[in-house]
Amino acid sequence: NAWQTVNVTERIQSIVIAPGSQQLITSDLNGNLQAWDLLNAEQPLNADDFPQGNALASGGELLAIGLQDQIIILNQDGNGDLPAINSIGNNALLVFSPDGSLLASSSSGGKVAIFQYQDGQITELSSLIKEQATSLAIHPNGSLLAMGTARNVYLVDVATGKEVARIPHISTVNGVSFSADGSYLATASSRDLQFWEMSGIQQVKSDDLIGFACSYLYENFSAAQWEQFFAGEPYEPLCKDLLPQE
């Protein structure tokens, strides 16, 4: 098949394939959404058929459009049967899981939220606030969210919204993506494209954090150190298997 060229008048900031169709949806820097026929690169629909939006994501039978203070969800027929999701700030990053059952969003307010689509309803599963997200990806099995930021990639437990691993980078991580089988994570930062084997990344749940930290220590805090870090709290050894300092 020959390549088709889509002629646009403004810089494009987001592109998706509309669910269940042969249409390409684009969003420019002014938030204008347009549809293009993939076969002939022509516009079969008027731009007025779509609301303005800053970000796009497509998954399963749904199309998500990020706007100021809300996210609109359309089904494959283009109908907004689902209620809009209220999300304070400019919702500039959206991503679906491969099967369309999970949606992650990042707003200019710094909040990253994870939603579940089930039985025709969308509900918030978890959320977190860390550094401003610059890229997002959901693991194929739906267990992890990869979140790129200015200096790190965070792996987040989808169910709890808690960080389970962190991969430092030297510059802004503009792209993250899991392999189709979930075995690898690709990250794009500056001019570097790196691949990480998921089995080699140690994940630590919040319930295991103290035990994990204690595995790197050889003694507990002294009373003076405890007072420095936990002023006013009764002293107790954090690592039960380590001796207290004299």
Side-chain angles (χ1 to χ4, degrees), residues 42 83 105 111 115 140 144 158 173 195 198 219 239-240:
E42 295 179 356
S105 69
K111 177 181 177 181
F115 303 90
L144 293 173
V158 164
V173 183
F195 296 90
M198 292 299 296
E219 61 183 1
C239 304
K240 306 299 183 184

Side-chain angles (χ1 to χ4, degrees), residues 80-246:
D81 293 335
L82 296 169
I85 300 171
N86 294 321
S87 180
I88 302 301
N90 179 20
N91 292 280
L93 274 178
L94 298 172
V95 66
F96 274 105
S97 59
D99 64 357
S101 64
L102 297 170
L103 170 68
S105 69
S106 174
S107 71
S108 57
K111 177 181 177 181
V112 172
I114 303 170
F115 303 90
Q116 183 178 41
Y117 175 62
Q118 188 174 29
D119 299 327
Q121 301 292 324
I122 289 187
T123 55
E124 183 173 321
L125 277 180
S126 59
S127 64
L128 67 149
I129 296 178
K130 282 189 175 291
E131 305 171 50
Q132 185 66 50
T134 53
S135 52
L136 297 171
I138 298 176
H139 192 277
N141 69 11
S143 63
L144 293 173
L145 171 72
M147 172 183 164
T149 67
R151 290 292 184 270
N152 293 288
V153 172
Y154 296 99
L155 294 182
V156 177
D157 187 313
V158 164
T160 65
K162 302 293 186 181
E163 175 189 344
V164 296
R166 183 182 304 189
I167 308 172
H169 284 65
I170 61 173
S171 59
T172 300
V173 183
N174 293 309
V176 289
S177 180
F178 288 102
S179 61
D181 64 359
S183 297
Y184 294 91
L185 172 69
T187 63
S189 176
S190 186
R191 295 184 178 181
D192 296 327
L193 178 62
Q194 296 175 280
F195 296 90
W196 309 85
E197 191 170 7
M198 292 299 296
S199 62
I201 300 174
Q202 186 170 10
Q203 299 179 30
V204 182
K205 302 285 186 180
S206 24
D207 292 344
D208 303 325
L209 192 56
I210 292 179
F212 178 75
C214 287
S215 68
Y216 288 89
L217 300 177
Y218 58 88
E219 61 183 1
N220 277 295
F221 287 142
S222 67
Q225 290 171 327
W226 179 274
E227 182 63 23
Q228 179 181 355
F229 291 107
F230 308 106
E233 294 292 329
Y235 176 81
E236 63 175 307
L238 291 177
C239 304
K240 306 299 183 184
D241 296 329
L242 297 179
L243 295 174
Q245 286 196 40
E246 298 295 333

